[in-house]
Amino acid sequence: MNIPIQPKPSQDEANKIDERAPDTRSLTEARTVSEVLAHSNVEPVLKELDDSLVGLAPVKSRIRDIAALLVIDKLRLNLGLAAQAPSLHMCFTGNPGTGKTTVAMRMAELLHRLGYVRKGHMVAVTRDDLVGQYIGHTAPKTREILKKAMGGVLFIDEAYYLYRPENERDYGQEAIEILLQIMENNRDDLVVILAGYKDRMDTFFQSNPGMSSRISHHIDFPDYSVGELLQISQKILANQNYRFAPDAAKVFEDYLNLRLEQPHFANARSARNALERARLRQASRLFKERDKVLSVDDLTTIEASDIRASRVFQQSTKLP
């Protein structure tokens, strides 16, 4: 995975960044929960988490619990009751498309606003970004990624692929050892979030007890229901200035029910891909009407036929 180089922000963007930055001086003087919330501006992040993500009630509840812990810990620190920063390394488990990356980004922002990380950015990587293919290659790769992530959150997707005991020449263990050292010695400047399927992460932790002991928060992301996936799909369309025709929403719900029974279903990711294909079919349908003056409704409406043309329906005998 290539990590894009962030362009220098414009003055307007810089001002917005400054507005999001925590008032660190006031945070150190806060004596009430209300004062910490006011100076950190954390509540808008939690509200955005609620508003932007459909479902995930247990995840949102756990994030709020962590936020409450950090607020109280901030008050304890201000009174000299805490000697060191809390361990905030986390593990997000669940199937693909359940919002793990999105929640990790919100967590980075939350930690920044409360003053637990300096920058509040997130660097998302996989095994290929950390592990080299020959001797002496892994350490510099891993350290370069850690350097980019310092002051924020390092999100490692499918983290269990770092450990491949069946391959004697694999260098994943070297990356793990470097990560363990940094997670322990730099936990006041970096939060690591490991992510992946729950059963595979459990096996990974059993094989790497040192990593398991450094993870303080385990959060499981449930699969979305069909109703939740339909809500997510409608949000995606609205953000792109599209909408379902009156009968198309029901057809897309039927599509989701059928797609759920097929392999490699990836929750919101699969729903988003299905919508992209429906947009392609809509475009092809409109493209054929070359002499028609297309209205706003024509250009923004996904018809039932655009969805029913999916091979998911063609391969199923459950629906007429």
Side-chain angles (χ1 to χ4, degrees), residues 6 98 203 233 242:
Q6 296 296 326
T98 48
T203 301
S233 300
Y242 284 87

Side-chain angles (χ1 to χ4, degrees), residues 183-203:
M183 288 168 70
E184 182 63 28
N185 298 338
N186 296 78
R187 62 180 184 176
D188 58 343
D189 198 35
L190 177 70
V191 171
V192 175
I193 299 179
L194 309 179
Y197 292 106
K198 180 172 175 51
D199 56 344
R200 296 186 187 181
M201 288 306 306
D202 288 343
T203 301

Side-chain angles (χ1 to χ4, degrees), residues 13 44 46 54 61 80 83 95 120 150 184 190 195 214 227 229 285 295 299 304:
E13 291 172 333
L46 297 174
V54 173
S61 176
N95 290 323
M150 280 296 170
E184 182 63 28
L190 177 70
R214 286 168 174 77
L229 288 170
R285 172 171 54 81
S295 67
L299 294 168

Side-chain angles (χ1 to χ4, degrees), residues 23-31 39 74 77-79:
D23 184 350
T24 52
R25 181 175 179 181
S26 297
L27 274 176
T28 60
E29 298 172 353
R31 292 295 182 267
H39 297 315
K74 183 65 64 176
L77 180 64
N78 291 348
L79 292 176

Side-chain angles (χ1 to χ4, degrees), residues 154-168:
L154 175 63
F155 180 83
I156 308 177
D157 198 15
E158 297 183 312
Y160 33 75
Y161 285 132
L162 290 174
Y163 183 68
R164 291 181 174 174
E166 72 281 358
N167 187 349
E168 295 180 355

Side-chain angles (χ1 to χ4, degrees), residues 252-283:
F252 194 71
E253 183 178 0
D254 292 339
Y255 167 90
L256 291 170
N257 277 305
L258 291 172
R259 183 66 182 85
L260 270 168
E261 298 176 358
Q262 296 184 345
H264 311 300
F265 182 72
N267 286 277
R269 193 177 304 166
S270 289
R272 183 172 61 247
N273 291 341
L275 292 175
E276 286 300 310
R277 290 190 289 272
R279 287 181 58 212
L280 285 173
R281 296 188 198 102
Q282 183 232 32

